């Protein structure tokens, strides 16, 4: 029996158009997705499938998990096509689907690293080489394409792969669980569209068997040795091929962004991997109550467990989900909502180990956070999950794609002295297409139904069919102003409760119906202290129950106060300092706007902070300005002072290489 999870509105029933997100989704559909395809072709990723299909001679390029990048692109393209149909995009999708079908083995297996280099070898190093991860993204692409088009060609490829995995893994022990979670989400999605029970059963098996391997350390050491030996074989073949083909040009990929490391980084990575924590293999899922290991994998696992609960209703899964979320928010999450404080792990450090310069805060980890928070919102109906989703959306995820749709950030520090810049592509390009597929289907995270109750989780300009005979037309000024209009289009009058989320960041929310008297939301509750100063627990709902009529208009006013989010004194470098926020946005100092200012040693007059509209800057923004002093002046009262300009953190690095800093000292000057 299914758990009482709320019903999400399918993405095809919600169109985001106009406003802040409408512009970004247009860029995603018209520029980003085609740029990504060009990069996949240029880097050899698509040719890998042509080689596997026997249609091309050459070298396989990229990491052993490179297949996933093509699958994520197809997933993104399918989702985009729902609201942004394009003949060229359709042709590219059709061509890729046909190629995948030709490259796929007759029994459903598709992993070009083995098919090209080690034919006959399968499932050799599940913790490291990510065969199941790649198959998971292949399956998700099949589900998304079917949901978008109703056509079954790619779904057939996905089902063949899933059936192969079911045949090979069903009933196997804990050693046969993947090192990078993703296949679990894919199988659960495939079960939802097909109703085929073995997909659900295998997803549950992968989840339940996790963390139960005895003697994990020797097993992972053996796999590392095998992976290293296989890499040597591949390197030798590559060297021989290049010697025989001196004109071969593999193309050049920009170097990955640098990330400073703690001195003990290598030792800590080894300890985490050997203990199983890096892979979330250290304990069964019901006893995993502390966020550890690789942040993306962690987020995917939490999402899969929450999805499993919604399908099966096993309440014993919930305590660990709640505990890990609470611990993450309280002690292991940056003020942007980013997660992952150790670059060597691409993952979590210790409690309060949130150094802004070392911060990795991978873009994909933020996207995993969006998925997890949404599942928790559907499970509980609690506003705190939708509140953190919104915060991560703007401040941890949106920073990953540049305004041009063709430049990206992989890691997202909160203080940068020039080592991090946007790149058109990466050696591990997992984030670009992951961003595109998340943006394209974000409409499904705006509204939910519980019986006849409708909850509005996010105030994003959109038009949505939200139930039989009911349509919502929402216009939002966020993130720059708090004016929101909600118009109801009804086939007939109906009695229903509308739940309007009151964000934790607002000073107040009031609603008026058809120009009548304001309906004031209750004052927000207090929330527990957190390392970052964030308080998603303060978010709540304003419920309005009445008989609604066609054409009813709710006008919402949310105040956007400028806030100082004080960092816990235990945090390195930024402890006791403040991040400046307005509405749902964290702001930062970028050297581009503050020439000749030591932005890493700044004191701000808090009373002078003020919003300044800048319609011609960065696509149109609201800046913050304040009087400040820096360098020696900040500590000795000298004359190094002037006006400081803050931009939204999500928009930094859009104007070329620069320095950036989120945290400042504050005082009110006499």
């Amino acid at each position: 029996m299914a758990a009482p999870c709320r019903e999400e509105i399918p993405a095809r029933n919600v169109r985001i158009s106009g406003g802040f997100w409408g512009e970004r989704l247009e860029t995603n559909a018209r520029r980003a997705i085609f740029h990504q395809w060009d990069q996949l072709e240029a880097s050899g990723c698509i040719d890998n499938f042509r080689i596997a299909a026997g249609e091309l001679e050459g070298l396989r390029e990229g990491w052993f998990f490179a297949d996933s990048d093509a699958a994520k692109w197809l997933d993104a393209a399918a989702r985009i096509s729902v609201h942004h149909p394009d003949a060229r995009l359709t042709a590219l999708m059709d061509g890729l689907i046909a190629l995948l079908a030709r490259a796929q083995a007759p029994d459903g297996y598709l992993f070009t690293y083995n098919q090209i280099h080690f034919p006959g070898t399968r499932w050799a190093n599940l913790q490291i080489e990510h065969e199941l991860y790649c198959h998971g993204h292949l399956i998700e692409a099949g589900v998304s394409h079917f949901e978008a088009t109703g056509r079954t060609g790619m779904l057939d490829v996905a089902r063949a792969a899933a059936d192969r995995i079911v045949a090979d893994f069903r009933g196997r022990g804990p050693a046969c669980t993947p090192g990078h979670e993703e296949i679990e989400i894919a199988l659960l999605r495939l079960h939802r569209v097909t109703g085929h029970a073995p997909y659900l059963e295998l997803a549950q098996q992968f989840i339940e068997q996790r963390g139960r391997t005895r003697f994990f350390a020797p097993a992972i050491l053996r796999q590392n040795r095998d992976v290293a030996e296989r890499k040597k074989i591949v390197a030798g073949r590559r060297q021989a091929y290049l010697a025989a083909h001196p004109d071969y040009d593999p193309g050049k990929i920009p170097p990955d962004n640098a990330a400073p490391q703690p001195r003990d980084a290598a030792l800590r990575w080894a300890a985490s991997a050997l203990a199983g924590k890096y892979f979330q293999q250290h304990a069964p899922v019901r006893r995993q109550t502390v966020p550890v290991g690789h942040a993306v994998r962690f987020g995917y696992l939490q999402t899969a467990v929450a999805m499993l609960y919604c399908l099966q209703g096993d309440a014993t899964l919930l305590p660990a989900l709640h505990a890990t979320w609470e611990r993450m928010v309280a002690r292991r999450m940056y003020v942007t909502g980013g997660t992952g404080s150790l670059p060597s792990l691409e993952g979590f450090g210790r409690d309060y180990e949130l150094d802004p310069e070392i911060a990795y805060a991978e873009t994909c980890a933020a996207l995993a956070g969006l998925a997890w928070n949404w599942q928790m919102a559907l499970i509980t109906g609690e506003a705190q999950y939708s509140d953190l989703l919104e915060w991560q959306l703007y401040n941890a995820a949106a920073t990953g794609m540049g305004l041009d749709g063709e430049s990206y950030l992989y890691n997202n520090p909160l203080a940068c002295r020039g080592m991090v810049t946007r790149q058109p592509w990466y050696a591990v390009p997992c984030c670009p297409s992951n961003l595109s597929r998340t943006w394209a289907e974000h409409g499904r995270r705006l509204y939910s139904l519980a019986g006849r109750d409708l909850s509005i989780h996010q105030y994003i300009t959109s038009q949505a069919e939200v139930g039989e005979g009911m349509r919502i037309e929402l216009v939002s000024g966020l993130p720059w102003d708090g004016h929101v209009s909600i118009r109801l289009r009804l086939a007939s009058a109906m009695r229903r409760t509308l739940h309007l989320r009151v964000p934790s960041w607002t000073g107040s929310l009031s609603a008026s119906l058809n120009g009548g008297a304001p309906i004031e939301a209750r004052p927000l509750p207090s929330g527990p202290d957190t390392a970052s100063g964030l308080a998603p627990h303060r978010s709540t709902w304003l419920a309005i129950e009445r008989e609604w009529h066609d054409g009813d208009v709710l006008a919402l006013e949310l105040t956007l106060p400028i806030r100082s989010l004080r960092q816990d004194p235990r945090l390195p470098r930024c402890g006791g300092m403040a991040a400046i926020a307005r509405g749902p946005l964290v702001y930062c100092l970028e050297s581009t706007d503050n020439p000749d200012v030591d932005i890493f040693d700044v004191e701000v007059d808090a009373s002078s902070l003020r919003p300044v509209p800048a319609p011609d800057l960065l696509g149109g923004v609201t800046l913050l300005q304040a009087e400040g002093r820096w360098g020696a002046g900040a500590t000795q009262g000298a004359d190094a002072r002037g006006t400081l300009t803050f931009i939204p953190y999500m928009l930094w690095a859009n104007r070329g290489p620069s320095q950036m800093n989120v945290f400042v000292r504050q005082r009110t000057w006499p």
Side-chain angles (χ1 to χ4, degrees), residues 13-15 17 447 454 462-474 486-491 494 496 550-552:
N13 291 0
V14 183
R15 183 178 183 89
S17 60
Y447 307 93
L454 172 68
S462 55
Q463 304 83 45
E465 304 290 340
V466 294
E468 186 176 351
M470 186 174 188
R471 177 180 174 84
I472 294 284
E473 297 173 355
L474 191 151
I486 303 170
R487 182 181 297 273
L488 278 63
R489 295 298 188 186
L490 307 176
M494 61 179 66
R496 177 169 284 191
D550 183 47
D552 280 345

Side-chain angles (χ1 to χ4, degrees), residues 388-426:
L388 182 56
L389 189 160
E390 177 188 48
W391 195 264
Q392 290 181 318
L393 174 67
Y394 282 109
N395 302 298
T399 185
M401 183 184 291
L403 288 173
D404 60 3
E406 299 180 358
S407 56
Y408 304 92
L409 289 175
Y410 188 105
N411 51 319
N412 295 282
L414 282 76
C416 174
R417 298 180 186 269
M419 293 185 294
V420 175
T421 58
R422 295 189 182 274
Q423 300 287 357
W425 209 240
Y426 292 96

Side-chain angles (χ1 to χ4, degrees), residues 73-356:
W73 179 90
L74 180 57
D75 191 345
R79 299 183 192 194
I80 285 171
S81 70
V82 173
H83 293 302
H84 296 85
D86 183 284
R88 180 188 170 198
L89 189 62
T90 297
L92 289 174
M93 285 194 291
D94 290 348
L96 179 56
I97 291 168
L99 175 59
L100 294 173
R102 296 194 302 272
Q104 188 172 36
D107 66 355
Y109 183 82
L110 180 53
F111 185 62
T112 64
Y113 185 70
N114 277 345
Q115 288 172 280
I116 294 171
H117 293 304
F118 307 101
T121 299
R122 295 182 179 181
W123 320 124
N125 299 292
L126 292 177
Q127 300 306 307
I128 302 171
E129 290 184 344
H130 305 338
E131 284 168 273
L132 287 172
Y133 171 82
C134 289
H135 279 83
H137 279 301
L138 182 77
I139 292 167
E140 281 214 77
V143 173
S144 293
H145 189 265
F146 172 71
E147 290 177 335
T149 68
R151 295 159 55 195
T152 59
M154 186 58 202
L155 186 64
D156 291 341
V157 172
R159 293 202 67 172
D163 291 342
R164 176 74 271 143
I165 294 167
V166 169
D168 288 350
F169 286 92
R170 197 173 183 186
R172 302 283 295 276
C176 293
T177 52
H180 195 313
E181 300 90 330
E182 153 61 23
I183 185 65
E184 302 87 345
I185 294 172
L187 289 170
L188 293 171
R189 286 191 65 201
L190 186 59
H191 167 73
R192 284 177 174 173
V193 300
T194 65
H196 191 50
Y199 303 149
L200 171 62
E201 293 163 4
L202 185 57
Q204 182 177 14
Q205 174 186 307
F206 282 142
I207 290 169
E208 293 287 3
Q209 293 279 30
R210 194 159 209 89
R212 298 180 185 273
T213 302
R214 297 182 65 190
F215 310 116
F216 184 82
I220 199 64
L221 287 172
R222 286 194 299 270
Q223 288 196 29
N224 269 288
R225 285 195 296 270
D226 190 39
V227 169
E229 288 300 318
R230 283 155 61 90
K231 282 184 175 179
K232 287 181 182 177
I233 293 171
V234 172
R237 291 174 180 170
R238 183 178 190 85
Q239 186 175 7
Y241 185 90
L242 292 175
H245 300 81
D247 295 332
Y248 177 77
D249 181 8
K252 293 183 179 180
I253 295 175
D256 289 343
N257 280 324
Q261 301 275 3
R263 292 181 179 179
D264 58 352
L267 181 62
R268 292 180 68 179
W269 182 91
S272 179
L274 291 172
K277 291 183 177 180
Y278 175 77
F279 312 93
Q280 294 80 46
Q281 293 277 28
H282 58 293
V285 292
R286 290 171 184 79
R287 292 196 284 112
Q288 293 192 30
T289 58
V290 177
V292 296
H294 192 279
V296 182
R297 306 178 197 208
F298 166 83
Y300 285 176
L301 176 60
Q302 303 308 305
T303 301
V305 173
M307 290 172 66
L308 181 64
Y309 169 79
C310 282
L311 286 166
Q312 290 200 325
D314 182 354
T316 65
L317 294 169
L318 292 181
L321 286 171
H322 289 297
T324 51
W325 190 89
E326 293 289 349
R327 183 68 166 266
M328 180 185 72
V329 172
R331 307 180 192 179
R332 299 193 175 190
M333 189 177 72
Y334 288 96
V335 70
T336 57
T339 56
S341 55
L342 294 179
S344 59
L345 292 174
E346 295 187 315
F348 295 96
R350 306 182 185 98
D351 287 350
Y352 304 105
E353 190 177 13
L354 297 169
D355 188 311

